[in-house]
Amino acid sequence: MDQKTKDTFISNARRNIAKIQEFLVDEQKKVQQLINTKTSGAKVEDKWTEEYVKALNRDRLVQLQKMHDSPYFSKCNSTFEGVTKDYYFGKFSLTEESIYSWVAPVASIRFDVPGPISYPLPNGKIRSGKLHEKDEYQIVDGKILFYSTESEGSPRQLVHQEYFSTKKSGFLLPEIVSKMEKAQDTIIRAHYNNPFVVSGPAGSGKTTLALHRIAYLMQAPASTDIYKNSSIAVFVQDQRSKDYFSHLLPELGITTVSIMTFTEWALAILDDMDTSAVNSFSSNLLPDLLYEQEKILAMRSVLSAADESKKPKFSKNYFAGLEKIYKPFFSAENAAVFAKQKKENVLDRIDLTLLLALYRLSHKKLSITKRTFVPDDDGALVEKRKSESLEYMLMVVDEFQNYLPEQLTILKDCINQEHKSVIYVGDIAQQINPGAIRDWNEIGEFIPSDRHVILNKVYRNTKKILNFIGTLGYSVNIPDSIKEGTEVVNKKFASVKEKIAFIQELIAKRSERESIGILGIDTESLTELRNSIETNEFVHIITARESQGLEFDTVCLVGFDKDTYFDGYKQFPEQFQAEKQKIDRDLLYIALTRAISGLYLVD
């Protein structure tokens, strides 16, 4: 294709985008007028109906605004039943301009090559046709950054490409819907009944795939009536992961799904706890792993007792009940740690799990108090409280490999038993918590092979980084197509001052929107750095544990000594050494794989 032809293609595409944007502006004005219309003075129930319609229009206004910046990412000129037309595909639908949502059945044709095509209709029938030409775009703020085309007898050709950064602001991903592949699309559209597992190495796109599946189930014609916002729960590891999901889901049109940590969820059920005092104990310090192990042994001992009558009863005097259970298993040192924990009114993940398990044994089903507002005879809203059993139509458990089997069993009990829709996202090779699940049999879950997707391609790291990870004894799959990258740098410094100066120089040299993660093997290795280095939305100082699920252009790993790190497990009691060794190896793997293009090991 010569340059003149390319110029014609790009000019026509820009005109089409401008035309659609003009239409979108008019549509936004119409929807805004509907939102601004004053509620009539009719009956109370009519007011509520009008407010409900306004809420729908507010959602539609947000969609129209997002479409203005990026109306679509694919165009397929196709013939069905003798009619030839252009089908555009984007995040949201605008049928007046032949733009269809990516969840529509017909959207699957965007992964086909020109020629005969077909796709399944909601009624099970197959619609067949022919794809003549396919265009792919990346449109940002109304500007075409990438444009390629292919047609029958003509291979894919690049029409236009501008330099653009794929780097994130903070922890956000770039455009994600348009980057799917056909195999991923097939997974996303799989039947909604029964559990689904998405696993794979760091950087393989597990989270992205799971997010797409949530959005698809909520928006696809066959399942939209089943999966409502209020019946979906996404469980994440921590506040950072919560922020991450909270930014990504709206990019797919999902704005009101509950995203929470297990701790937040458990406290809502236990209800009377002073949540401001509740924190999780760190597992970075030497005593904590042993402390958690002794608690886990105690929990499993009482919960597995054959005689139900001898199992402890749930009591709202939390600490007294926990102390009675833990006491026979605690060493003198850890009994003192628990006394301090009790004094500070702090519950950790094991305490909460045990309390919920006992609550479930006593009450048969977990429940939560819900608040609703209903109009009285005068039309005033009155608050009503009602205890309801917890039941989710869809549950997503991110980084499932870090959950205790007891936690997953509790969560599983809250899933609708007709559909059993749960998505487990994670990788057994990336565990950072003791006592975590090792096998699906531990929670009585059967995952058929066609419902367990293992992603093998790593999209995040360079070849140099993956090669270095391989030298440390990790099994890594290195695709031929990834960038070579720069060498991994390993530096040792005589003083903390020199180490800080080196890291500050790295920060100073980074490009404007390049992110850098300064990761510590433990909290102590970061103390001086936090006092000396200023952080912002692109510069982050966190522990390796806190970095799980995140990524940075450059990672500077602090406190790792190759000669001593892998022997850390030897200082633990023999019965805990194997688990400590696995956690240490998994934690290091997580830290190393956060790096997109640059990796520095600083000690």
Side-chain angles (χ1 to χ4, degrees):
M1 183 184 296
D2 59 32
Q3 190 57 49
K4 184 177 180 180
T5 305
K6 289 183 178 182
D7 290 343
T8 301
F9 271 65
I10 192 69
S11 178
N12 290 338
R14 285 169 176 160
R15 275 198 299 271
N16 187 58
I17 291 170
K19 177 177 74 73
I20 291 172
Q21 287 181 320
E22 186 177 342
F23 181 85
L24 285 166
V25 169
D26 291 338
E27 283 297 297
Q28 288 178 49
K29 290 178 181 176
K30 292 176 185 176
V31 174
Q32 188 65 63
Q33 287 176 351
L34 293 173
I35 294 171
N36 293 339
T37 302
K38 290 185 178 180
T39 304
S40 64
K43 299 178 181 178
V44 172
E45 53 267 33
D46 292 334
K47 290 181 180 180
W48 279 63
T49 301
E50 290 176 13
E51 286 302 322
Y52 175 73
V53 172
K54 284 189 177 184
L56 294 178
N57 282 323
R58 290 188 192 99
D59 289 342
R60 182 55 177 165
L61 182 61
V62 172
Q63 292 181 3
L64 293 171
Q65 290 168 341
K66 287 180 177 291
M67 288 189 76
H68 188 274
D69 293 335
S70 183
Y72 50 81
F73 42 72
S74 181
K75 181 183 81 171
C76 294
N77 180 262
S78 308
T79 299
F80 292 103
E81 290 90 38
V83 178
T84 302
K85 63 175 284 190
D86 289 333
Y87 293 82
Y88 293 87
F89 303 110
K91 291 181 184 177
F92 309 107
S93 62
L94 189 70
T95 53
E96 298 91 336
E97 295 292 332
S98 295
I99 301 176
Y100 299 88
S101 165
W102 68 279
V103 304
V106 68
S108 64
I109 70 172
R110 70 186 177 102
F111 300 104
D112 292 324
V113 296
I117 55 172
S118 63
Y119 67 91
L121 296 169
N123 61 10
K125 293 183 178 179
I126 301 297
R127 190 185 189 201
S128 299
K130 193 170 188 180
L131 174 59
H132 306 294
E133 185 178 74
K134 181 172 73 172
D135 296 343
E136 293 178 321
Y137 308 86
Q138 182 168 10
I139 303 170
V140 178
D141 295 331
K143 185 178 181 181
I144 299 175
L145 300 183
F146 175 87
Y147 175 13
S148 69
T149 186
E150 59 184 300
S151 58
E152 295 176 274
S154 179
R156 187 170 184 247
Q157 297 183 72
L158 180 66
V159 177
H160 177 78
Q161 181 171 4
E162 293 189 17
Y163 172 78
F164 60 94
S165 172
T166 60
K167 296 178 176 62
K168 312 180 300 298
S169 171
F171 299 140
L172 302 187
L173 286 176
E175 171 65 64
I176 53 180
V177 179
S178 62
K179 293 182 179 293
M180 285 194 297
E181 298 176 358
K182 186 173 182 64
Q184 295 172 328
D185 187 64
T186 302
I187 293 165
I188 288 162
R189 294 172 188 269
H191 198 276
Y192 45 81
N193 281 352
N194 298 318
F196 206 96
V197 178
V198 183
S199 62
S204 58
K206 300 184 295 292
T207 301
T208 300
L209 193 60
L211 290 170
H212 279 86
R213 183 152 172 79
I214 299 169
Y216 176 79
L217 292 175
M218 291 186 67
Q219 299 175 40
S223 54
T224 186
D225 290 336
I226 299 173
Y227 301 104
K228 304 294 185 183
N229 289 325
S230 59
S231 68
I232 297 175
V234 178
F235 286 89
V236 296
Q237 293 289 289
D238 49 35
Q239 188 58 47
R240 290 176 182 274
S241 301
K242 187 174 179 178
D243 293 342
Y244 189 56
F245 273 76
S246 297
H247 283 95
L248 290 181
L249 279 171
E251 289 298 308
L252 296 169
I254 308 302
T255 56
T256 54
V257 166
S258 296
I259 305 172
M260 54 197 158
T261 64
F262 183 88
T263 297
E264 290 171 331
W265 182 75
L267 290 171
I269 296 169
L270 296 175
D271 194 41
D272 294 329
M273 180 58 55
D274 176 10
T275 57
S276 64
V278 176
N279 294 292
S280 294
F281 268 34
S282 167
S283 293
N284 292 322
L285 301 178
L286 181 62
D288 291 339
L289 179 60
L290 301 179
Y291 186 61
E292 288 191 336
Q293 288 284 15
E294 289 178 359
K295 281 188 171 185
I296 291 168
L297 288 174
M299 175 177 66
R300 290 177 179 168
S301 176
V302 299
L303 293 181
S304 63
D307 189 345
E308 292 289 328
S309 65
K310 292 185 178 180
K311 290 183 178 179
K313 302 299 181 185
F314 175 80
S315 168
K316 285 202 171 184
N317 189 353
Y318 300 132
F319 285 101
L322 291 171
E323 189 170 28
K324 187 176 180 180
I325 293 170
Y326 292 148
K327 189 174 181 179
F329 295 85
F330 273 155
S331 64
E333 180 186 8
N334 283 333
V337 174
F338 185 79
K340 183 174 183 291
Q341 179 188 338
K342 179 180 177 180
K343 184 178 179 181
E344 295 177 354
N345 197 33
V346 173
L347 293 175
D348 65 16
R349 67 187 179 104
I350 303 163
D351 304 329
L352 290 170
T353 302
L354 179 51
L355 289 171
L356 284 186
L358 295 176
Y359 183 101
R360 192 169 61 122
L361 286 172
S362 300
H363 296 76
K364 305 304 178 186
K365 192 78 175 174
L366 295 181
S367 60
I368 193 166
T369 300
K370 290 192 175 181
R371 299 191 310 161
T372 57
F373 294 88
V374 296
D376 62 14
D377 294 338
D378 298 324
L381 294 179
V382 178
E383 180 184 355
K384 292 209 170 183
R385 290 173 174 249
K386 182 181 179 183
S387 180
E388 294 184 6
S389 293
L390 283 169
E391 182 181 74
Y392 299 106
M393 298 305 296
L394 174 64
M395 183 182 291
V396 179
V397 184
D398 189 44
E399 308 292 3
F400 73 85
Q401 74 278 1
N402 292 327
Y403 285 75
L404 298 163
E406 292 81 4
Q407 288 177 300
L408 294 176
T409 298
I410 290 168
L411 293 177
K412 218 181 111 182
D413 189 51
C414 298
I415 299 169
N416 174 273
Q417 292 304 297
E418 178 185 355
H419 297 292
K420 299 180 180 177
S421 295
V422 56
I423 304 172
Y424 297 105
V425 186
D427 181 10
I428 292 292
Q430 296 185 59
Q431 293 182 320
I432 60 174
N433 290 332
I437 184 172
R438 292 287 189 266
D439 190 284
W440 292 113
N441 290 327
E442 293 180 85
I443 62 170
E445 195 77 276
F446 172 71
I447 312 292
S449 58
D450 62 339
R451 307 280 295 180
H452 187 171
V453 178
I454 301 175
L455 305 175
N456 293 313
K457 291 183 180 179
V458 177
Y459 296 96
R460 177 186 297 149
N461 319 112
T462 65
K463 193 172 292 186
K464 294 282 190 185
I465 291 173
L466 291 176
N467 276 325
F468 174 78
I469 293 171
T471 66
L472 297 177
Y474 296 98
S475 176
V476 291
N477 182 3
I478 305 177
D480 293 333
S481 57
I482 63 171
K483 293 188 299 184
E484 187 71 21
T486 57
E487 294 289 346
V488 174
V489 177
N490 197 339
K491 301 275 289 185
K492 284 185 178 289
F493 294 94
S495 68
V496 174
K497 185 177 180 180
E498 290 179 4
K499 184 193 303 183
I500 291 172
F502 176 78
I503 295 173
Q504 287 176 328
E505 186 178 357
L506 282 181
I507 294 171
K509 287 181 177 178
R510 69 181 184 85
S511 60
E512 182 183 359
R513 299 186 68 80
E514 184 178 351
S515 61
I516 180 167
I518 303 163
L519 312 184
I521 287 297
D522 51 36
T523 304
E524 287 66 32
S525 61
L526 295 176
T527 302
E528 291 292 334
L529 300 181
R530 283 177 168 149
N531 293 332
S532 307
I533 296 175
E534 186 177 345
T535 60
N536 54 47
E537 64 173 317
F538 298 106
V539 179
H540 304 269
I541 302 178
I542 56 178
T543 63
R545 178 178 297 275
E546 293 170 323
S547 74
Q548 189 169 40
L550 306 178
E551 60 183 47
F552 306 93
D553 294 298
T554 298
V555 162
C556 186
L557 181 60
V558 180
F560 170 66
D561 185 339
K562 182 179 177 181
D563 297 328
T564 61
Y565 180 80
F566 293 106
D567 293 330
Y569 70 94
K570 293 179 180 178
Q571 58 188 306
F572 276 71
E574 189 174 346
Q575 67 267 36
F576 299 139
Q577 286 186 2
E579 184 149 25
K580 169 63 175 171
Q581 186 179 31
K582 175 170 171 47
I583 289 173
D584 284 350
R585 286 190 60 81
D586 290 353
L587 196 59
L588 178 61
Y589 174 79
I590 288 166
L592 297 173
T593 53
R594 301 308 96 192
I596 297 174
S597 55
L599 177 60
Y600 295 82
L601 281 71
V602 178
D603 191 29

